[in-house]
Amino acid sequence: MSQSKNAVELFSILVDEIYGELASLERIMTILFRRGRLPIQTLSRHTRLTIRQLKHGLSVLIQQRLVYFYEDGHITYYEANQDAAYALIRQGKFMEIVESRHGIVGRDLVHDLFLMGHAKVSDLVESYEAGKHIVQEIPSTNRETANSTNGGSKARSVSAAKIRSTLVELLDAGIMKLSHKGMFRSPTDVRNDVETQLLDGKYSGSAKGPKQKINMREDLNSKLRDIEFEAPTWNGSGNTQNGYTNGNHKRVKLSNGNGLANGHHDSYEDKKGNNLDQGIIIHLNYDKLAVALRNEQLVELASARIGSATSLVYAEFLKILEPKIPRCREYSKAEPREDRGDIYTAKNTELFSVFKDLANDPHGVNPSLGIGKPDSNSSIKTEDLDRPQEPRKRRVSGAKIEEVSSNGQVNAVIRDVVTDQTRGREDSQDPFINSKKDSKAKRKHLTEDKFTFDEKKEHIKDHLRLLAQDDAGFLRLCGQGEWTVDFEWLADFSRDVVVNSYIRENFGSEGHRIVKILRKFGKLEDKGLPHLALMTPKNLRTTLARMQMAGMVDIQAVPRDAGHTNARTIFLWHFDVERITEILLDKVYKAMSRHLQRLEIERRKASGIISLSQRADVVAGKSALNAYQMGLLTEYRQLEAKFTIQLMRLDGLVGIFRDF
């Protein structure tokens, strides 16, 4: 599949950023992204490389999982892996997630697999043993200092048992997977082969009629799931599954992700990693890492809309669901909703057990915070909140996404509860607005944890109800004490928020008003728009022309007769959110590529001071930089940090528009 010019440019820059020593790799990837699937002879003609050079380059790219290959008879076709190429820019985010959950050793293992593509467990362990691997623990306060490698970091050695036990944890979490031959084939090739086999074998060449097409789609989805299950998987039980032996593992609580809380490191780690088969080949699971990244973004959204206390409860709920979710998008949007994968749920009891384990943790989550108390004379019946809700359906009414549900009474009750809990009270009832001497005592009284666990259970339920009633629809009650997350709804909601914000910033309130009208009524004739938008025809036409030139709206001409004259033609304006999403995604790709190019220019300007700071004597602390050199290095690092932060923000938009 060919990509846009800006996407090809970004992916090529990312490959060159990581594997810049081999110039042929960037050339190969650029041609594959631009022209799609190609055999090696055609690829040689476009890249102007010899067959020998192409074979070496393609072998490296296949090792890094940047290129798929497909054998059709005696011809082998090669295709670029867009997801793996873009994942290069998310290395920092993925490593930060792994470090927070599995420690510094897990972060280093993930980093090594990013560079190696896939590797055998024995090779990983031997490389760490041969080099006597030492991890660097850099405190957050020293990460931005110029000499952080000299005195601000702490080094500690890591044993082979720790490496093996961390690998077991990463395999159990699904962050790493067992490699197999099928991972070198693109999902499109696998789907096409299965579809061809079904058509030739069961449906005599083609599916005829709507009933056969439905049966064909069901058989295709079932066969694809069987193929996924046939791939070697890790079960963590010590049993042999699909030709691989998995280690017996019992999860224990870690202290800050760096080791065991009880101090018995070596004996436990030896036992945990003892049964790990040294011959298995592993690789990173980008799909699972994207799920963890999506959960973090949803927690940030919940914190911004509701509050930090409720977002922490939401984070624990998403952690319960995360092991059950293999990837973010399990379906094609062209398929009916009932064929789009399973609905993942979690019960109240599972969340209660998590918070019970966290009760003795001084850094744990206190679910009793962030919950208001309704007025004593309130007549709200909270029993209505525990009724199951129907899945949310999207109905666009202006810029507001409304909820269409058969349980309208429940939703109204939830809104009444929030109104009562968040209604402005008198200053005398607010303990934090009083600046008298007893204000600290009142604050301490309210923040102290004096609730029993049964009371905390009710507070947890209150947090879940707050998440369910929000317009974003973070949760949905699907059974008695059972909750689920409509990720498709949340992805659409986040996308609509970004699109509306972009239109408001670039075309003002008038443009935003026009878009709200078009999204509500669909296609409209320009004669009726001035009345609905409360704008003069001249201003309306000017705004519509600006938006049409930017691609935000489009016009359709419908002739009334065969003459096709303007007087006998109806001009209909419409707004296509999917098309706008593609336009904005391409703009984000362009912005990211420009940031990377500018960062490379700044790096070349500061190449002298960078190479000086990386000298062995400077790193070892035997030599120090003078004040002028320190100033230059600090200035470059601050500039690099600004570019990196902006790239991560743009990456969040890519996740909303494409991945989540």
Side-chain angles (χ1 to χ4, degrees):
M1 178 182 176
S2 60
Q3 303 292 331
S4 66
K5 177 184 176 182
N6 294 321
V8 171
E9 185 180 20
L10 173 62
F11 298 151
S12 302
I13 292 174
L14 290 175
V15 174
D16 181 64
E17 184 80 12
I18 305 299
Y19 311 104
E21 324 63 68
L22 303 174
S24 60
L25 299 185
E26 181 188 2
R27 198 183 308 176
I28 295 171
M29 291 297 294
T30 302
I31 295 300
L32 289 178
F33 277 122
R34 186 176 299 164
R35 298 184 176 273
R37 174 181 302 182
L38 293 174
I40 193 169
Q41 291 79 9
T42 308
L43 192 59
S44 175
R45 184 171 66 253
H46 288 299
T47 58
R48 298 182 181 179
L49 297 173
T50 64
I51 300 296
R52 179 184 178 86
Q53 292 173 328
L54 277 177
K55 287 183 178 180
H56 285 294
L58 287 171
S59 63
V60 174
L61 292 172
I62 292 174
Q63 165 75 18
Q64 306 298 329
R65 297 171 59 209
L66 292 171
V67 168
Y68 293 121
F69 69 89
Y70 176 73
E71 298 176 352
D72 186 8
H74 299 287
I75 302 177
T76 303
Y77 294 90
Y78 299 93
E79 180 182 357
N81 185 354
Q82 173 185 339
D83 296 334
Y86 185 79
L88 296 175
I89 204 172
R90 290 179 173 170
Q91 288 189 30
K93 285 186 176 181
F94 290 157
M95 291 167 59
E96 184 178 359
I97 292 174
V98 174
E99 181 180 359
S100 64
R101 299 183 182 187
H102 305 282
I104 301 175
V105 179
R107 178 202 65 189
D108 292 344
L109 288 170
V110 169
H111 177 263
D112 291 343
L113 281 183
F114 260 118
L115 298 178
M116 300 170 65
H118 59 272
K120 190 180 293 185
V121 170
S122 59
D123 295 339
L124 277 175
V125 177
E126 288 175 4
S127 65
Y128 277 70
E129 288 180 339
K132 295 182 179 180
H133 182 66
I134 297 178
V135 298
Q136 297 287 338
E137 298 182 27
I138 303 177
S140 58
T141 56
N142 294 330
R143 287 183 181 178
E144 296 182 358
T145 60
N147 286 331
S148 62
T149 56
N150 295 340
S153 61
K154 298 181 292 183
R156 64 182 180 88
S157 59
V158 179
S159 63
K162 178 64 177 177
I163 301 296
R164 287 192 293 267
S165 64
T166 306
L167 286 173
V168 171
E169 291 180 7
L170 294 172
L171 286 166
D172 286 339
I175 295 174
M176 293 181 181
K177 292 178 63 177
L178 305 184
S179 301
H180 55 95
K181 186 178 180 180
M183 74 178 189
F184 299 108
R185 299 178 61 192
S186 68
T188 305
D189 290 332
V190 175
R191 187 180 186 88
N192 291 339
D193 288 346
V194 173
E195 187 174 2
T196 302
Q197 294 175 5
L198 287 174
L199 288 175
D200 294 342
K202 188 175 181 179
Y203 295 95
S204 302
S206 64
K208 302 174 182 177
K211 187 175 182 179
Q212 275 197 0
K213 291 181 180 179
I214 293 175
N215 295 335
M216 168 68 185
R217 185 171 61 247
E218 293 176 354
D219 294 339
L220 178 61
N221 294 334
S222 176
K223 186 65 176 176
L224 289 174
R225 292 191 185 96
D226 294 340
I227 291 177
E228 184 176 0
F229 292 147
E230 289 172 2
T233 55
W234 175 266
N235 57 16
S237 61
N239 300 324
T240 301
Q241 181 173 352
N242 299 331
Y244 292 90
T245 304
N246 304 325
N248 187 14
H249 169 60
K250 182 179 179 181
R251 187 176 303 276
V252 297
K253 186 178 180 180
L254 300 179
S255 176
N256 297 328
N258 295 328
L260 293 176
N262 56 12
H264 300 286
H265 297 271
D266 295 335
S267 59
Y268 175 78
E269 288 163 359
D270 288 337
K271 182 179 179 181
K272 184 166 65 171
N274 190 33
N275 294 329
L276 178 63
D277 189 354
Q278 302 293 303
I280 62 176
I281 302 174
I282 57 177
H283 65 277
L284 289 179
N285 185 4
Y286 295 135
D287 294 333
K288 198 67 175 182
L289 289 169
V291 172
L293 192 61
R294 179 182 65 180
N295 289 348
E296 286 199 348
Q297 195 159 340
L298 290 178
V299 171
E300 292 178 1
L301 180 62
S303 177
R305 292 184 62 87
I306 302 177
S308 59
T310 304
S311 68
L312 294 176
V313 176
Y314 191 46
E316 297 299 329
F317 181 87
L318 292 176
K319 286 180 182 179
I320 297 175
L321 287 185
E322 187 174 314
K324 308 174 185 178
I325 304 174
R327 61 185 61 85
C328 289
R329 293 187 180 272
E330 298 188 64
Y331 53 84
S332 170
K333 287 192 174 182
E335 298 177 3
R337 180 69 183 87
E338 58 271 10
D339 296 334
R340 294 183 180 182
D342 301 327
I343 297 177
Y344 305 102
T345 62
K347 296 182 179 180
N348 289 338
T349 53
E350 299 179 62
L351 197 58
F352 294 159
S353 62
V354 170
F355 279 95
K356 190 174 183 180
D357 295 337
L358 296 175
N360 298 325
D361 188 356
H363 302 288
V365 181
N366 185 2
S368 300
L369 300 178
I371 296 296
K373 183 178 180 181
D375 296 335
S376 58
N377 57 355
S378 176
S379 60
I380 297 174
K381 297 180 180 179
T382 56
E383 301 84 34
D384 295 336
L385 301 177
D386 297 327
R387 296 179 183 174
Q389 296 171 300
E390 296 294 331
R392 290 173 178 252
K393 300 177 182 179
R394 301 189 71 249
R395 183 182 68 187
V396 179
S397 178
K400 179 182 178 182
I401 303 176
E402 296 183 352
E403 178 183 348
V404 182
S405 174
S406 61
N407 199 8
Q409 181 183 1
V410 174
N411 299 328
V413 170
I414 294 176
R415 295 188 185 95
D416 292 340
V417 169
V418 177
T419 302
D420 285 344
Q421 291 179 355
T422 59
R423 182 184 294 123
R425 300 179 179 179
E426 297 179 0
D427 293 348
S428 59
Q429 296 177 345
D430 190 352
F432 298 123
I433 205 169
N434 191 358
S435 59
K436 295 181 179 180
K437 296 181 179 180
D438 60 343
S439 61
K440 293 184 179 180
K442 290 182 178 180
R443 184 186 298 271
K444 182 179 180 181
H445 173 72
L446 291 179
T447 54
E448 283 181 348
D449 190 5
K450 295 183 177 180
F451 298 98
T452 64
F453 189 69
D454 290 334
E455 292 175 328
K456 288 185 177 181
K457 288 181 180 180
E458 294 301 321
H459 297 160
I460 293 173
K461 291 180 181 179
D462 291 338
H463 283 292
L464 298 178
R465 291 163 183 161
L466 283 173
L467 291 165
Q469 64 82 31
D470 191 83
D471 289 338
F474 294 104
L475 287 179
R476 175 170 59 87
L477 186 64
C478 58
Q480 188 65 31
E482 192 171 8
W483 302 83
T484 187
V485 180
D486 294 326
F487 291 106
E488 181 185 5
W489 166 276
L490 282 169
D492 291 342
F493 180 87
S494 302
R495 178 197 61 187
D496 293 340
V497 169
V498 175
V499 170
N500 291 333
S501 176
Y502 175 83
I503 293 175
R504 188 183 296 108
E505 291 179 2
N506 289 272
F507 305 101
S509 58
E510 295 84 1
H512 186 223
R513 193 185 314 153
I514 293 172
V515 168
K516 290 197 297 183
I517 294 171
L518 292 178
R519 295 184 71 171
K520 179 176 182 179
F521 295 101
K523 296 181 180 180
L524 284 178
E525 191 176 1
D526 53 358
K527 295 180 181 179
L529 271 174
H531 175 69
L532 293 174
L534 301 177
M535 298 172 62
T536 62
K538 182 179 179 180
N539 292 339
L540 179 67
R541 286 193 294 267
T542 303
T543 306
L544 286 173
R546 289 175 52 217
M547 297 179 69
Q548 186 185 18
M549 292 179 63
M552 296 296 105
V553 295
D554 206 350
I555 190 170
Q556 179 183 3
V558 181
R560 295 181 179 178
D561 53 25
H564 294 275
T565 59
N566 290 337
R568 301 290 298 172
T569 302
I570 302 174
F571 296 97
L572 301 176
W573 293 93
H574 61 93
F575 178 83
D576 187 1
V577 66
E578 297 294 339
R579 179 171 172 269
I580 306 307
T581 299
E582 295 296 329
I583 293 175
L584 294 182
L585 181 61
D586 192 61
K587 288 180 179 292
V588 172
Y589 284 155
K590 183 177 180 179
M592 296 179 76
S593 63
R594 296 297 180 268
H595 277 76
L596 290 171
Q597 289 171 352
R598 179 59 187 273
L599 181 59
E600 179 62 25
I601 293 174
E602 298 295 336
R603 188 181 293 122
R604 291 178 183 176
K605 290 181 180 179
S607 58
I609 190 64
I610 293 175
S611 59
L612 182 62
S613 66
Q614 293 175 348
R615 264 177 20 188
D617 56 341
V618 176
V619 173
K622 298 179 181 179
S623 300
L625 304 178
N626 57 39
Y628 176 72
Q629 293 170 340
M630 287 284 294
L632 291 177
L633 184 60
T634 303
E635 182 181 357
Y636 166 73
R637 287 186 173 179
Q638 290 176 351
L639 185 62
E640 185 182 33
K642 291 179 181 178
F643 278 109
T644 304
I645 291 172
Q646 188 62 25
L647 283 171
M648 294 303 100
R649 290 173 178 172
L650 293 171
D651 173 63
L653 295 178
V654 175
I656 292 174
F657 289 144
R658 191 193 70 173
D659 298 331
F660 302 157

